Structures are given as C-alpha cells and as structure tokens.
Amino acid sequence: MTNINKDFLVHATLAELFFGRRDGVVAHVFGHIYKPCDGLLNLHMVASGASGGSMNPQRWMLVVCFSLASVFGTGESVTTAETQTYTCTTFGSGVVQPFNGSAFYVHSNCPFIFTRFTHNRVKCDVTVRRGDNGLLVQVEIIINKVRTVLQNGSILVEKKSVSLPYDHTYQHIFHYGLYTRLRSSLLPLSVTWHDVPGGIDSLRVDLEQELNTDMMGLCGKHGASGNKQQLISESVLSEDTCQIRDPIFTVNQECREFFSYTLDCLQARTPFYMQLCEENIYGYELNEHIVCAFFKEIVLQCGNNSYAWNIWRYVTRCAEPTCPGDLVYVEQGAAFIPSCSNPNPRFSNQDMTSSCVCPKGEVLNDHLDGFQCVVESSCPCVFAGRSYLTGDIRSTKCQSCVCDGGRWLCSENFCPPRCLIEGQFVTTFDGKQYAVPGKCAYVALQVNFSHKTTLVQKIYIQVQVSPEIQIYITSPKNHTGLCGNSNNDTTDDFTTSSGIIENSAQPFALSWSLGSCAVNIPNSCINTDNEIFADDKCSVLNNPAGIFAKCHGHIPPEQYHTACVQRTCNCGGNLQQCLCVSLGSYAKACRSLGVELGDWRKSTNCTLKCQKNQEFFYDIRACNRTCRSLSGRDPRCGLEDAPVEGCGCPEGTHLNQGTCTPKSECSCHHHGGTTPPGPVMFSITEHIKLRTLTCSCFVSGCRNGKVCVHCSEYLVNTAQKTCDSLSKPLGTNTTCESGCYCPHDQYEDHHGNCVSRDNCTCVYSGQVFSAGQHVKTNCKTCFCGSGQWHCKDEPCPGTCQVYGNGHYQTFDSKWYRFDGHCQYTLVEDYCADGNGSFSLRVESVPCCDEALTCSRSIILDLQGEVTLTLSDMMVTKRLKKAWTLQEDPLYTTHTVGLYIIISQHQRL
C-alpha cells in the first residue's frame, strides 16, 4: 500500500489550514479542547510535503494531532472511545424506557421531571406532562437558563414562537425526518419528538456520551438499575389537580396478534412487552396515535431485519403518514432530504429515520414552495436571493456565468485588475486591502522592465480630485509598489522595496515612502462624537434592506464598512463629506461590476451641488463632452472611458469654460492657436524644502567613522547614505542636508556604524539582519546582501485559518468574518463528481456568555467509514455499520507530549 501524507492541525489560539502540492506529506492537527465555560478553542490545520507533483486525492495519509489544556490549570487527559448513544424515550399514553434500557408504564396527568442534570456547569432540565387524552401536552426544556416549551403544536423559545429551522447560540431546532429535533450546542444532548393532533405521541432524549454526574428524573441514570416506584415518586412535580393512577390492563387481542410476529426479536421478553402494550392501550383503544406509536416504537427497536418490519402496519391497521407535495413516505429514509441546495448530505451526521423523501433519482427543489421534486440536473441556481433556471446566464461587467443543474459555471474574470488608492486605504491589484500608516509621499506603482523589453502595454490612471483625491490604476503586470504586483496571489502583495515580503502593512508601506515618513494616522476615533456619528451612518453599508443591499451578493460590504468607520472617525473636517467619500468608494466598486444602486446619494444625504449650469450624473463620460472636442479629435476618447459619477453637461450641450452651452454657441479651436490634440500629462510633485545647517559639524566633530558634509561646499545626495536608503525609492531631486555622514562608498547600517555596501544590514519585521544572514517567509528563503533581500522561491503549503468568534483566512489569504451558529465544512476533497476521501467540519460551541465562542466541535470523516469527533475533552469514533477497524485499519493513534496524533491511511 502506497501512501501520500496530508496534514491537518487544530490549535487553540490560532487556526490554520495548510495544503501543499506535494507527493510526500506529513500532516498534523493540533487542538486545545476546553470545557464550554472554561476557555477558548480555535482551529489550526496543516498539510505539507515534499516538492514536485500535485496532491492526488486518492493517495494520501492524514494525521490529526490535538493537545488538551485547561484554562485554569494543567493539561487534562483525554479519552478516546467509540460513539455510544444513551437513549431515554416515552411514547404512547405513558410508556417510559429509561437510559438503563428497562421499561415501565406511568398512568398520570401530573408533570414529571423527565431528566435533570448538570454537566460542565451547564444545567439541563426536561419536564413532561400528559393530558387526559394520554398524549404529551406540554414539554419544557431548559438548557443554560434558555427555556423552550412544546405545546399545542407550537415551539416557544423564551415565550416567543419560532419557525424552523431555528438557530440559537445555545441550541438548534430543526425538522428531522417526520420528527422535530432540538440539539444543544453546550451539551452532548438532543431531544426528538413527533407531533400529532392533540399533542406529542413520542419523545426521546439522546446523550452522546456517558455523563459522570448526578441525574434524576424518569430517565434515571445510564448504568443504574433504578426502581420504578422510586423513579416515579422522586420525579413527580405534584399539583393539586393531578393524579397518578395504577396501571390497568386487560387482555387485548390487538396486542396479542401484534406480538405473535415479534417472537424472533423479543423472544423471552415478549410477555413483559405484551403487558406494557395492554397497559398503554387500556382506555385509549380508539386513539390511533397512542396505539400506533407503541407498535412503531417496538418495531423500530426490533430493526429492519425483523419479521414484523414489513407487515406491522398491515397487522395493526396503522396507516402510513401522508407526505406533502411530491414527497413519499418511507419507514427508514434520510433524516435530511437531499435537495438542490445540498443534493448529497452525506456529512450531516445523517441518520436513517421515518421520513418523507423524493422518489428515487430526484431531489427536493428547496428554492420553491410546495415540496416539488426534480432531477438534480433541473435544479435552479441562486444568486443574491434570485433563482435562475438551468441554462440561464447571469452576467456582470467582468464575468459571465451559466446555470448548470444548480451549479454556476463561470468564466474567468476578464476585467483588467485595478489598484485603488482612496485616501489612506489601498486595495492592491490582487485585492488585498490595507491602510497606509502616515500622511507621506509613496510610490504607488513602479514598472519594472529590462533593456530587452518593449513596453507596449498601457497604464491607465483615473484620478478623482474632489472632495478627496482618489486614484484608480489599471496596469499590466511586472510592477511593484503600494499596489502590489498583479499576479493573482495576495500572499506576496506586501513585498517591500528591499525585496522581502513583510507580515504587516506598516513596514511594507513605509518601505515605499519617499524619504522619511512619520506614522501619524490614528487607529482609533479622535473623539466620541465622531465615533457615534460614524457607527450610526456607516451602518447603511451593511443594511440588508438598504440602498446598498443589491450589491452585497457581488461585493461583501464588511471591509468598506470598517474603512468608512475609520475614515469618518478620524475626519478633521466635514463629517458628512468624509462619510460620503466612504460610501462612494463602495458605490464605485459596485458600479465597476455593472451593479447599479440607483440614487444612493439622495438616500444617504450625499447629493452634490454642481457649478453654474452643470448637472450631476452617475454615469458621465469624458469623451466628446466639451466645446473643444468639436474642433477635432478629443484626446480623451483614446483613453479608457468607463463612466464615472460627477458634474457635466446634459445631452445636447458642451462644456465651455465651466458653462454648458449649446453646440451652436461653442467657440472654435484651430491648430496653432490652441493646444494640439494629444494626451495631457500631469504629475503630482512634492515640494521639498532644502535646509542648510547653520551649526558646523567641523566644530562638534562626527562619531562612528562619519565625516562632516556641508552642502554649500560639496553637494552630496545625503538621502542615499544609509543602508536602509539603498532599497528605498528615489525622488526626482537630489537632497542634501549638511551634517555627519559615512565616507564615500560607505553607508550607515541599522546599528549606526559605517560599512561598505556589501556589508550593509537588512530589516525584516523590525529585526536587523547582517549581510549573509537569511530568513524564511511566505514560501521564500531570503538572504541579506548589499542592504537588500534576495529571495528564492521554495515549495510550501497554502494556509487557511479560523480563530476567535468566526475570523477566517482563506487559502488565498483573504480575511473575512462569519460567526454562524451551525455546523460548517472547513475543507473536503469531495468535488463536483461526489468522490472524495475526507471532510473536516467545525461548529462553534458557545461559552456560558452566549456572545463568546469557547470552543469548537471538530468532526473528521474518513472515507465515509469512520467519523472522529473532537469535543468536550473527548475523541469519539463512529464506525460505518458492517465495518470494523480490525479488518482494515484506517487510522492509528499515538501521543507525543501534550498531543494526540491520529494518522489516517488511504487505501488504494
């Protein structure tokens, strides 16, 4: 058996996922698991290996490592065990089967504690009460003080009616086949029930692990014998009007006939269950829900291989439930119906249960009402809340997508990449967003080409000059600067002028500054009033029903909202104007994709007043809009002329010295008397004030081998006399400031000493490195030489990480925040063809304070045969039926220090 290794790492403070393109991989998953009310768990995953070749999904080895530590003490030991579910049920008119597997009948309309316990400081209390009709008429579930009541067919959470599916930080309530299920996020517990007219005919509580805690209630405690009368007397919640009656039973022919078909299953226990049946049915012979609920529960316990499985409904005359729409009833089917949104829910802890499903070969079209089943190839696609039929085309300015059986098949992005410099906020050509740290002069774009290169591609620069200068650059590849390098890889966008990739924006941006640059842009609000205004007004960007909502499906607004708050908070002038600049940045980004937002300026009080008789337009163009353009070719028509918003002349008029005039009133411009056709060049220059030192360093002298330079006597470009300056971009003018500098052909290093160029030091992440030293960063090994970094690419994995309350970084280093309450797939190799070998899913587990995430439940599925769950200080395994680890071990486990390592071996 040949294996290729694949690595996963689950870590408690930083979650990362690395996937390498290698033939040999060693994988690790490290994770700290904390109790829900004790601390935090974040996910960190790794896959790496030797270079050369691609990762073959059919040949690899998976290794999972996780460490366990308590926030309040040393690491705790962790147990690994097979998944075992402990179940307590009540059904019919009062049959109870406790956790220990016994059974008894309670005939009462009193409220009872069904189960009550405390686990990891989280309290759970489930109480039940039956009505005079024998059905459960009220069930109350309290978990961590959140009260859920089932009554009259409704579900009330904290006294408010909820619809399904319902997701709360502490619990989820959803349809589960014919049943309804509540699953706790804090406890290894679920409660499942079946609604019928008049109440609930069956209720079950499942515990996914044995609890080492005191438990009380009718369910008793798993592993404990529990006397029936003692359980009843200790569990009843007495009321003046309720009664507990002794069970009554008489010979019932229907029970006798039914149990004649279950001998293969119940064997010697048949008389006991026959008595239960007669106790359950006495007085309720005409209530089909009570009668059939009992028979069904017994058949379910016997299983689908029993003789009674296929004939019990005929024998008992219990009709099959009716299903809505195209759905059909199955006694044992998918708890979660395959649908257009999720046609193959294999990794959803799928259980088989009584269910309404689509006919074979079809899935539920869950994008429409009415329970319509369709073949998967006919599924519609959804984008931004709108449905599209198979074959429909959805196009934006930069991309075209066609719907194909519920999946979008999209073209490559055919718009040229743009760099955006909007005040202090920069978006690189590859989409990385950051803010410059100081109000300085920077090199935005530096085009690199050799003497053998013919530069034929053009650079387009669009400048918005009011109310704040904003620059939009479209450029070919092979360039550096604040805008990055346009290679579809955000991981190297922070390449400094010295050639190394920095980890943060500040040192990267400062390396591209012209001359010295002070960090003078605050990160927090300059005053409280600005902060209140910014928080209130910028929220319009995130409003799902607001003017910008139409664009949310195309461009997530979170980054623009953050920039809006920061820009408006630190606004030193008109707050409304700063706000409008921020909102305009998002509107411009949406318009670049062809998404029109309507009159957003009017909706946000950002309308602009134009000079003289000009009018405001959202889509004005520069080409042929002036009187001058009537006399000859308008040079602006040869430039990229995407429509922009701004002031201009209405159709039929032309701009003439700031005023819109009819064509007949435009003056003529002739060659020789006016500026000839051609591009208009402009530049933004920085006025540098040259200063001359009046104090003489000849008097005070210089140290560390430096010599005195007086610019009036000998002009030296003093801006190029440090090792740091050798990699910095140069301004257009020679700068000389008198003072002490290193001698000719020597430079001041980062320690203040004079050295030759070959011995110049380098800086990375604030640390100084001598010539010849190297660092490894961002898939490169970089050597310091002559004050610059010389880097060589090395194969390395991609990285995905998740930490805290839903902070994610994708493999392409894109950051976003999402803190959903559900279970989500972090990574899997099941692609469009449905074939794969692993899936890793995560789910946030809240703290006792529901605003925080204390840990993550981690579920690892291996080849559909083994499921490993890391949760609550335990690693549990669930095996596929009819398969054992002994016959073909899929994984092995061992420990290293605080870590448990699970290695998975792929069969060929």
Side-chain angles (χ1 to χ4, degrees):
M1 180 173 65
T2 304
N3 294 315
I4 290 182
N5 308 330
K6 192 181 271 188
D7 264 352
F8 294 84
L9 171 58
V10 185
H11 197 281
T13 56
L14 183 64
E16 297 187 5
L17 173 62
F18 307 93
F19 270 103
R21 301 172 179 268
R22 306 181 176 188
D23 283 337
V25 185
V26 177
H28 308 280
V29 181
F30 302 88
H32 298 276
I33 298 181
Y34 300 111
K35 295 180 179 179
C37 297
D38 288 353
L40 295 172
L41 168 68
N42 296 317
L43 186 62
H44 187 86
M45 298 179 56
V46 157
S48 57
S51 61
S54 61
M55 190 163 60
N56 187 332
Q58 298 303 318
R59 302 173 61 240
W60 49 271
M61 182 175 76
L62 173 69
V63 180
V64 182
C65 315
F66 57 95
S67 69
L68 302 111
S70 169
V71 173
F72 301 119
T74 58
E76 299 185 31
S77 62
V78 63
T79 58
T80 304
E82 290 191 22
T83 300
Q84 185 170 354
T85 301
Y86 300 88
T87 301
C88 174
T89 63
T90 182
F91 50 91
S93 63
V95 179
V96 177
Q97 289 188 312
F99 289 123
N100 63 12
S102 63
F104 57 87
Y105 180 76
V106 182
H107 188 196
S108 174
N109 60 353
C110 293
F112 284 88
I113 299 171
F114 196 56
T115 186
R116 177 182 290 173
F117 60 87
T118 300
H119 178 65
N120 286 345
R121 295 190 291 172
V122 177
K123 294 182 179 180
C124 174
D125 194 348
V126 181
T127 61
V128 298
R129 183 172 67 85
R130 295 185 181 276
D132 293 335
N133 63 356
L135 298 172
L136 291 170
V137 293
Q138 186 180 59
V139 177
E140 183 178 272
I141 307 164
I142 302 176
I143 301 175
N144 204 39
K145 300 180 181 179
V146 175
R147 183 172 181 261
T148 303
V149 176
L150 316 178
Q151 191 172 20
N152 299 325
S154 298
I155 302 173
L156 303 177
V157 179
E158 294 296 289
K159 299 182 179 180
K160 295 182 179 179
S161 179
V162 300
S163 58
L164 303 185
Y166 170 76
D167 292 306
H168 183 274
T169 309
Y170 291 157
Q171 63 189 30
H172 313 284
I173 309 176
F174 49 90
H175 293 296
Y176 187 81
L178 288 185
Y179 302 90
T180 306
R181 173 167 287 187
L182 180 151
R183 184 171 61 83
S184 172
S185 300
L186 295 173
L187 298 170
L189 171 140
S190 63
V191 182
T192 309
W193 64 93
H194 182 234
D195 283 304
V196 295
I200 295 172
D201 66 355
S202 67
L203 175 86
R204 61 184 287 170
V205 172
D206 292 308
L207 294 175
E208 296 175 4
Q209 68 182 67
E210 183 174 359
L211 304 183
N212 296 317
T213 183
D214 290 334
M215 303 178 71
M216 64 177 299
L218 294 176
C219 289
K221 184 177 181 179
H222 39 70
S225 57
N227 177 272
K228 165 189 170 181
Q229 294 303 327
Q230 182 180 357
L231 287 178
I232 294 175
S233 62
E234 292 179 352
S235 303
V236 65
L237 300 172
S238 297
E239 292 182 355
D240 293 338
T241 58
C242 75
Q243 294 178 330
I244 300 178
R245 302 180 179 90
D246 291 331
I248 301 175
F249 68 94
T250 60
V251 174
N252 183 281
Q253 192 58 39
E254 192 173 3
C255 290
R256 304 277 166 143
E257 183 179 6
F258 171 78
F259 282 104
S260 68
Y261 296 99
T262 63
L263 295 175
D264 63 324
C265 166
L266 300 178
Q267 298 178 356
R269 295 175 296 166
T270 298
F272 170 74
Y273 279 101
M274 191 177 298
Q275 179 178 331
L276 272 182
C277 178
E278 292 173 342
E279 290 174 339
N280 172 76
I281 205 171
Y282 183 82
Y284 303 105
E285 291 85 356
L286 299 181
N287 191 325
E288 62 176 338
H289 301 300
I290 286 178
V291 174
C292 294
F294 181 90
F295 292 144
K296 180 177 180 179
E297 193 66 33
I298 299 301
V299 170
L300 289 175
Q301 294 179 24
C302 286
N304 59 3
N305 291 324
S306 65
Y307 180 72
W309 181 266
N310 294 317
I311 64 170
W312 76 272
R313 288 192 180 275
Y314 172 78
V315 171
T316 62
R317 294 177 294 280
C318 291
E320 289 187 348
T322 57
C323 295
D326 296 339
L327 301 180
V328 295
Y329 176 77
V330 290
E331 207 74 73
Q332 194 172 50
F336 306 106
I337 307 174
S339 63
C340 287
S341 297
N342 189 10
N344 192 7
R346 62 168 59 86
F347 291 130
S348 300
N349 281 335
Q350 181 86 314
D351 288 331
M352 304 299 285
T353 186
S354 301
S355 184
C356 289
V357 300
C358 284
K360 187 175 181 180
E362 297 183 357
V363 297
L364 178 67
N365 184 356
D366 53 344
H367 302 306
L368 295 176
D369 295 329
F371 298 95
Q372 177 186 1
C373 295
V374 296
V375 293
E376 187 177 346
S377 60
S378 298
C379 279
C381 302
V382 176
F383 182 80
R386 177 184 169 189
S387 292
Y388 297 78
L389 298 178
T390 292
D392 285 353
I393 297 175
R394 173 180 59 83
S395 297
T396 65
K397 182 180 177 181
C398 301
Q399 193 178 49
S400 178
C401 301
V402 60
C403 177
D404 181 28
R407 298 176 181 270
W408 286 111
L409 303 180
C410 297
S411 66
E412 293 291 331
N413 189 323
F414 41 74
C415 281
R418 291 203 310 169
C419 173
L420 286 60
I421 303 176
E422 299 169 312
Q424 73 186 91
F425 303 97
V426 180
T427 302
T428 68
F429 287 110
D430 293 328
K432 197 179 189 76
Q433 296 175 311
Y434 67 95
V436 296
K439 299 177 181 178
C440 309
Y442 299 90
V443 173
L445 187 72
Q446 180 172 284
V447 180
N448 307 313
F449 60 97
S450 66
H451 67 281
K452 296 180 181 179
T453 303
T454 302
L455 194 62
V456 295
Q457 293 176 295
K458 297 179 180 180
I459 299 175
Y460 296 102
I461 301 177
Q462 185 183 92
V463 180
Q464 177 178 315
V465 295
S466 176
E468 180 180 293
I469 289 185
Q470 296 176 288
I471 304 174
Y472 303 87
I473 306 172
T474 302
S475 170
K477 297 184 179 181
N478 197 26
H479 47 69
T480 52
L482 293 184
C483 288
N485 56 13
S486 188
N487 66 347
N488 294 319
D489 182 6
T490 60
T491 60
D492 62 359
D493 277 1
F494 281 173
T495 301
T496 66
S497 59
S498 65
I500 198 168
I501 302 173
E502 272 290 355
N503 294 317
S504 60
Q506 180 170 314
F508 158 71
L510 292 178
S511 78
W512 289 106
S513 65
L514 293 174
S516 60
C517 177
V519 177
N520 54 16
I521 298 179
N523 292 322
S524 57
C525 283
I526 58 178
N527 63 59
T528 304
D529 290 339
N530 282 21
E531 183 176 9
I532 294 174
F533 180 89
D535 286 340
D536 178 39
K537 301 299 182 182
C538 291
S539 63
V540 68
L541 286 171
N542 290 332
N543 187 349
I547 189 70
F548 297 103
K550 185 179 179 181
C551 191
H552 288 176
H554 300 269
I555 302 176
E558 287 77 17
Q559 292 273 11
Y560 290 88
H561 176 264
T562 301
C564 176
V565 172
Q566 188 172 350
R567 174 188 272 122
T568 309
C569 268
N570 297 319
C571 181
N574 187 316
L575 284 178
Q576 184 66 28
Q577 180 174 291
C578 293
L579 169 71
C580 293
V581 169
S582 299
L583 301 182
S585 295
Y586 186 66
K588 187 185 292 289
C590 296
R591 192 164 52 252
S592 70
L593 295 182
V595 181
E596 299 298 334
L597 298 172
D599 196 356
W600 69 266
R601 287 190 174 273
K602 182 178 180 180
S603 299
T604 57
N605 196 27
C606 289
T607 53
L608 295 178
K609 185 177 181 180
C610 298
Q611 297 179 353
K612 297 183 180 180
N613 62 342
Q614 295 184 49
E615 297 179 9
F616 177 81
F617 297 90
Y618 281 107
D619 57 352
I620 194 169
R621 295 178 181 268
C623 178
N624 293 329
R625 306 290 295 198
T626 64
C627 284
R628 184 185 298 271
S629 68
L630 299 175
S631 299
R633 187 180 68 87
D634 188 341
R636 286 168 292 194
C637 294
L639 302 175
E640 185 185 60
D641 191 22
V644 297
E645 62 175 33
C647 295
C649 292
E651 195 69 30
T653 64
H654 293 74
L655 189 64
N656 185 16
Q657 296 181 347
T659 302
C660 297
T661 62
K663 180 177 179 181
S664 59
E665 298 179 14
C666 282
S667 57
C668 295
H669 299 264
H670 302 281
H671 295 292
T674 59
T675 304
V680 179
M681 305 298 295
F682 68 92
S683 62
I684 302 174
T685 61
E686 177 188 10
H687 296 282
I688 302 174
K689 182 179 179 181
L690 301 180
R691 297 182 290 118
T692 302
L693 297 179
T694 55
C695 58
S696 174
C697 53
F698 288 108
V699 178
S700 60
C702 296
R703 300 178 180 179
N704 295 338
K706 297 176 183 177
V707 296
C708 184
V709 173
H710 204 290
C711 295
S712 61
E713 298 177 1
Y714 183 68
L715 190 64
V716 176
N717 189 357
T718 57
Q720 282 278 293
K721 291 300 294 178
T722 65
C723 289
D724 198 45
S725 67
L726 293 176
S727 61
K728 298 265 289 185
L730 296 176
T732 56
N733 300 323
T734 299
T735 301
C736 184
E737 294 188 7
S738 299
C740 293
Y741 296 93
C742 290
H744 180 64
D745 287 340
Q746 290 192 4
Y747 302 85
E748 182 181 344
D749 67 11
H750 295 87
H751 302 294
N753 302 317
C754 292
V755 297
S756 65
R757 183 169 187 148
D758 291 341
N759 290 322
C760 263
T761 52
C762 306
V763 174
Y764 171 66
S765 291
Q767 296 185 17
V768 177
F769 294 82
S770 301
Q773 286 188 306
H774 73 278
V775 295
K776 291 187 176 182
T777 174
N778 292 83
C779 306
K780 298 177 185 290
T781 298
C782 299
F783 292 85
C784 176
S786 301
Q788 291 186 299
W789 289 104
H790 305 276
C791 299
K792 180 176 67 174
D793 291 335
E794 288 190 347
C796 74
T799 302
C800 172
Q801 47 182 317
V802 53
Y803 69 92
N805 277 17
H807 298 276
Y808 293 83
Q809 184 187 35
T810 69
F811 289 115
D812 295 325
S813 297
K814 184 74 172 180
W815 283 99
Y816 66 96
R817 190 178 186 280
F818 174 74
D819 191 24
H821 301 316
C822 302
Q823 189 179 98
Y824 303 95
T825 299
L826 187 66
V827 64
E828 65 176 24
D829 63 351
Y830 286 83
C831 300
D833 59 3
N835 295 321
S837 53
F838 78 94
S839 173
L840 185 71
R841 291 171 284 123
V842 294
E843 180 177 4
S844 297
V845 177
C847 304
C848 290
D849 178 357
E850 63 180 281
L852 299 176
T853 295
C854 261
S855 63
R856 296 187 189 278
S857 175
I858 303 161
I859 301 96
L860 179 62
D861 289 289
L862 305 175
Q863 302 181 35
E865 295 178 335
V866 180
T867 299
L868 302 176
T869 301
L870 291 68
S871 180
D872 195 23
M873 302 299 297
M874 294 188 66
V875 179
T876 57
K877 62 189 177 194
R878 175 177 295 174
L879 306 180
K880 183 179 179 180
K881 292 182 179 179
W883 185 88
T884 62
L885 285 174
Q886 288 73 22
E887 65 186 38
D888 188 4
L890 277 180
Y891 70 94
T892 56
T893 63
H894 64 280
T895 59
V896 177
L898 292 177
Y899 296 93
I900 293 179
I901 301 175
I902 303 173
S903 304
Q904 192 263 352
H905 307 279
Q906 173 72 35
R907 294 198 307 263
L908 295 181

